[in-house]
Amino acid sequence: MEYDVTKILPQQPPMQFITAIESADFDNETLVARVDVRDTDLLFQKNINGVATTAALEYMAQAIACYIGTEEIHKTGVTKAAAGFVLGSRDLHICAPVFNINESYYINVKSVFCDSNMAAFECNIFDSKNNLMASATLNAFRPDDITTFMGVNNE
């Protein structure tokens, strides 16, 4: 099944970094998302001719959001972009300094724990030659109602 990232992620361009969802396997609770690095990207730095790998955490967080969104579609048939928050990371390893321009990177996420609000995911980012670029376990929180959670008054 193909998924429209623009309908799954709450981030809108230029903050939407995931280019496509390559695969989703709900039996094994995994997803692979792709990021294509371009010189038009918000995080592109001309002096390093790419994106600093410090962006890995955001790439991982958006890939997790893709997993949660596609799983929701799989279970209910409904597409609903829902905001969430990264609470922290464990064992964050950055293995290279730059995500290079005109290259694709693959973010593999695996659900370790996921209920309606809390989640933990193992994440790995690989380049097209299967070299590990970054890895971490991310903890995330997704409130039932973002408006209520943020205390936004809609009057």
Side-chain angles (χ1 to χ4, degrees):
M1 176 174 197
E2 285 193 32
Y3 297 98
D4 185 349
V5 175
T6 63
K7 293 180 181 172
I8 293 171
L9 287 176
Q11 295 90 344
Q12 298 299 308
M15 286 302 297
Q16 188 176 83
F17 301 121
I18 301 294
T19 305
I21 296 169
E22 296 289 307
S23 65
D25 180 345
F26 303 109
D27 292 331
N28 291 310
E29 299 179 312
T30 61
L31 178 134
V32 178
R34 187 183 81 236
V35 171
D36 298 329
V37 177
R38 304 288 177 249
D39 61 0
T40 55
D41 292 350
L42 179 66
L43 300 176
F44 178 79
Q45 297 176 34
K46 190 174 183 176
N47 63 322
I48 61 172
N49 205 32
V51 173
T53 49
T54 52
L57 189 67
E58 181 62 24
Y59 290 174
M60 292 174 188
Q62 288 192 21
I64 289 169
C66 287
Y67 176 85
I68 292 169
T70 56
E71 183 183 46
E72 187 74 18
I73 294 167
H74 178 72
K75 287 180 179 177
T76 68
V78 176
T79 303
K80 177 184 166 191
F85 302 93
V86 173
L87 298 177
S89 66
R90 292 188 309 275
D91 298 323
L92 175 62
H93 297 281
I94 303 294
C95 306
V98 177
F99 293 117
N100 294 311
I101 188 171
N102 297 326
E103 290 195 27
S104 296
Y105 296 90
Y106 300 87
I107 305 99
N108 298 331
V109 298
K110 176 164 181 48
S111 176
V112 175
F113 169 81
C114 193
D115 70 13
S116 62
N117 299 104
M118 299 295 294
F121 285 84
E122 293 175 354
C123 305
N124 295 291
I125 302 176
F126 295 94
D127 67 11
S128 59
K129 295 175 184 153
N130 211 31
N131 295 309
L132 182 64
M133 301 294 289
S135 64
T137 300
L138 268 57
N139 299 321
F141 170 71
R142 183 175 80 173
D144 291 326
D145 181 351
I146 190 72
T147 304
T148 303
F149 178 77
M150 297 299 289
V152 176
N153 186 349
N154 291 324
E155 294 179 19

